[in-house]
Amino acid sequence: LAKSVERVKNLLIQSNPLLEAFGNAKTNRNDNSSRFGKYMDINFDFRGRPLGGHISTYLLEKARVVGQQSGERNFHIFYQMLTDSGMSSSRGIDQPATAYNYLKLGDNGKIAGLDDKENFSQTVTAMKAIGLSSEDQAALFDLVAAILHIGQLTFEATANGQGSTVSAPSKPILDQVAKLLKTNP
């Protein structure tokens, strides 16, 4: 029973870096502002020791992905991933944050006292601790990279003027997005 209690405690503690990576961002008022709601339901035994539980998130500020106010930055996971050169280059995101449209909008990629590289290590550790398989982790990182690539796409009007299409210079970006999402462009 003691091992079970310790396991549950560890899972609850380990989930926090993961939730912060995907749900927190720098705002003009707070460098690590939660941009989502979180409800934790913890089950206890008759002695008050945690036995299990689950975390529900809601109200994620999805609009932050494509735009931030001046002085703010996007969700931490984007900047964290860019610190791992092996992971980012294999996904085609090997430029500094300022090169990505979705990351340069708030013009504030750095936060004094925040180590994105160390925090990314904690995020990956949290993923392992809560039981995400290597395949699931890779799929999640592919999705995050695809989002950054999507922000780089440009469009042009179709010949008949009735719509738009991905511009010729963006075709390689679209191919990269398709590869990351394991689909056809």
Side-chain angles (χ1 to χ4, degrees):
L1 183 64
K3 283 185 180 182
S4 175
V5 169
E6 281 304 309
R7 182 182 166 280
V8 171
K9 281 184 187 176
N10 188 43
L11 287 174
L12 292 171
I13 292 168
Q14 286 292 336
S15 69
N16 202 51
L18 183 58
L19 292 170
E20 285 191 4
F22 283 88
N24 288 19
K26 181 193 182 312
T27 66
N28 287 317
R29 294 180 183 211
N30 184 338
D31 287 348
N32 194 30
S33 180
S34 175
R35 310 315 301 158
F36 67 101
K38 173 174 61 173
Y39 174 76
M40 297 178 95
D41 185 21
I42 304 170
N43 303 320
F44 296 92
D45 70 7
F46 68 96
R47 292 184 180 164
R49 296 178 296 199
L51 293 176
H54 70 276
I55 299 172
S56 299
T57 58
Y58 53 93
L59 301 174
L60 181 65
E61 182 190 18
K62 295 176 279 293
R64 177 164 295 276
V65 172
V66 297
Q68 308 88 46
Q69 294 182 22
S70 177
E72 297 187 344
R73 79 176 204 166
N74 214 319
F75 293 105
H76 297 322
I77 189 62
F78 293 111
Y79 306 91
Q80 289 178 7
M81 276 185 61
L82 293 176
T83 67
D84 187 318
S85 59
M87 175 177 299
S88 57
S89 65
S90 69
R91 290 171 171 83
I93 54 169
D94 50 3
Q95 301 298 312
T98 54
Y100 298 97
N101 292 328
Y102 288 169
L103 302 184
K104 66 182 179 183
L105 296 172
D107 195 32
N108 199 340
K110 300 284 184 193
I111 300 175
L114 183 74
D115 185 343
D116 285 320
K117 187 174 186 70
E118 173 59 29
N119 288 345
F120 186 61
S121 175
Q122 292 173 9
T123 298
V124 172
T125 299
M127 288 178 162
K128 292 174 187 171
I130 66 166
L132 281 179
S133 69
S134 297
E135 295 80 19
D136 287 343
Q137 290 177 46
L140 195 53
F141 294 136
D142 287 349
L143 179 61
V144 172
I147 291 168
L148 287 180
H149 286 295
I150 288 169
Q152 302 301 97
L153 292 172
T154 58
F155 299 87
E156 59 193 17
T158 56
N160 67 6
Q162 297 297 311
S164 62
T165 186
V166 171
S167 66
S170 285
K171 296 283 186 192
I173 299 169
L174 183 61
D175 290 340
Q176 181 68 29
V177 170
K179 177 182 168 190
L180 289 165
L181 299 178
K182 296 173 181 43
T183 189
N184 296 322

